[in-house]
Amino acid sequence: MVKICCIGAGYVGGPTMAVIAYKCPSVEVVVVDISVPRITAWNSEKLPIYEPGLDEVVKKCRGKNLFFSNELEKHVAVADIVFVSVNTPTKTSGLGAGKAADLTYWESAARMIADVSKSSKIVVEKSTVPVKTAEAIEKILTHNSKGIEFQVLSNPEFLAEGTAITNLVDPDRVLIGGREETPGGLKAIQTLKDIYAHWVPHERIICTNLWSAELSKLAANAFLAQRISSVNSISALCEATGADVTQVASAVGKDLRIGSKFLNASVGFGGSCFQKDILNLVYICECNGLPEVANYWKQVIKINDYQKSRFVNRLVSSMFNTVSGKKIGILGFSFKKDTGDTRETPAIDVCRGLLSDKAQLVIYDPQVPDAQIMKDISTPKFDWDQPGSTIHIAEDVVKQSVKVVHDAYEATKDAHAICILTEWDEFRTLDYQKIYNNMQKPAYMFDGRNVVDVAKLRQIGFIVYSIGKPL
Ligand code: NAD
Ligand code: UGA
């Protein structure tokens, strides 16, 4: 029986390993993590992350060929394949702070693998890492090796949160990078290919050299984020000219060379990866003497920051230039629908912007825990994050001015304005007449996700501002 151990039981490690276990009954999969609460939750009825379809997959395999454990060394020692899926956040201090990926967690995982291994292993980079990381990992592994052979593969993950299970079960592609030039490298690539071949069609498993695989992941995220910044930049022009961004995106996307997906204008992209990975790409370009390329990609983040502050400015200026003391109902806090994840959610920047203008916020999100919302708004951001978001919002101001509720109707009762910041499906079908009746007048709607029917809401009496739509 092939034994897989995955270090890191997060948004990637958990779902990815659950699907491997589900699709490969003959493989034993153990997911290990240093976090005791995380592993306890993976072993409980309430999993640590909300992801449609995940509960069913975990329940089918847990205790059979899928296990979650805090005993890292024990399981790594006996594994044939070790996936490393630890977090690789942006560095917050030292060389490359604010741009470079922090590989502390990765390095400590690699050192542990080298220390405890008693047999040869394939070590798989599942985390998103800078191009050339495999070279450093190989050095750590071989330097400590006791005659044991380690093969390093790059197998970046392309799942998106909220659709992780469908993305894993039916991926557009699986990418495996390895040392194609050596027999050991080729064998390792084949071993991992055999795992995925249990359910992924042969032609969708792409094998490349290590550096192409590492760089493809950063490039893919940069291209995806670039599409959103492109359509968001056009949304500003739409608002200035009377064009409708939904119509423009639909017309532009009909060209098969462009494609219609991922062209939804929004209050800005969020999530733990787009900004982090582009900053990482920018840093690598700078280190390789390519400032023009670095500046090109930096612009994707600048437009995203602009979009978030543009949203706040439009809201404040259209409400007689002040929201001081006004109640604003915030619908949605997670960075996208169908996840409880709030990492880099644009809602944090919007809420902080409104609080700096002394608004009173009542927030509702179907999945994000109350304490997480309060923590996210109170935690100071780093100064390379969105300009303006570094304004210090004192914790007592957050306590006095922010309330979290568990119902959209409660969040919007007596409010002067509503902000939709996440495209949860339930916000499309709310009884907006009832909501309007219970609001202060004039009643404003600022739709940061283009989910409401603008004409219908205007008919009810709302003053509606939707991203990239004519007034
Ligand atoms: P996460 O923070 O949810 O999970 C990482 C886990 O690793 C945590 O539970 C942490 O406790 C654990 N960990 C850290 N150091 C450890 C160590 N030395 N030993 C054992 N456990 C350790 O992160 P994530 O969202 O799963 O992302 C992981 C990686 O995958 C990142 O590089 C990210 O860029 C990449 N990625 C994420 C997504 C996504 O949708 N979240 C998608 C594709 C790729
Ligand atoms: C993204 C990529 O889509 C995944 O392929 C990748 O594996 C992952 O990053 C990663 O490396 O972490 P994720 O961040 O989970 O996945 O979610 P997306 O669906 O990409 O959405 C990212 C952000 O862009 C969200 O805030 C979303 O609301 C926003 N978005 C997305 C738009 O504003 N408009 C769109 O048209 C699409």
Side-chain angles (χ1 to χ4, degrees), residues 398-434:
V398 176
K399 274 193 192 131
Q400 282 160 22
S401 312
V402 179
K403 195 174 157 203
V404 181
V405 296
H406 300 110
D407 172 42
Y409 296 101
E410 199 186 338
T412 52
K413 190 167 183 300
D414 293 326
H416 289 80
I418 300 173
C419 277
I420 299 184
L421 299 182
T422 314
E423 72 286 16
W424 286 100
D425 288 340
E426 65 178 72
F427 300 155
R428 293 180 196 276
T429 52
L430 291 170
D431 181 346
Y432 282 104
Q433 181 67 59
K434 178 175 157 189

Side-chain angles (χ1 to χ4, degrees), residues 384-397:
W384 52 81
D385 272 325
Q386 190 192 3
S389 66
T390 48
I391 314 158
H392 184 61
I393 310 278
E395 217 170 302
D396 57 321
V397 171

Side-chain angles (χ1 to χ4, degrees), residues 37-48:
R38 254 208 170 160
I39 291 298
T40 307
W42 278 111
N43 282 320
S44 75
E45 282 303 298
K46 183 147 173 44
L47 301 184

Side-chain angles (χ1 to χ4, degrees), residues 157-161 217 221 224 228 262-264 266 269-270 273-274 277 335-336 449:
E157 185 48 60
F158 295 101
L159 67 80
E161 287 176 32
K217 174 62 196 177
N221 272 0
L224 288 168
I228 304 168
F262 237 70
L263 282 180
N264 297 319
S266 66
F269 60 75
C273 292
F274 279 174
D277 293 345
F335 82 96
K336 63 184 281 198
R449 295 289 185 169

Side-chain angles (χ1 to χ4, degrees), residues 8 22 69 76 79 93 97 106 112 167 178 192 209 234 240 249-250 284 290 302-303 315 335 344 351 376 408 430 455:
Y22 175 57
S69 168
V76 167
S93 59
W106 231 108
M112 188 268 284
N167 295 155
L192 189 56
N209 75 31
I234 296 297
S250 165
I284 297 167
L290 301 167
K302 281 196 185 159
I303 287 287
L315 188 154
F335 82 96
E344 299 295 336
C351 289
D376 285 338
L430 291 170

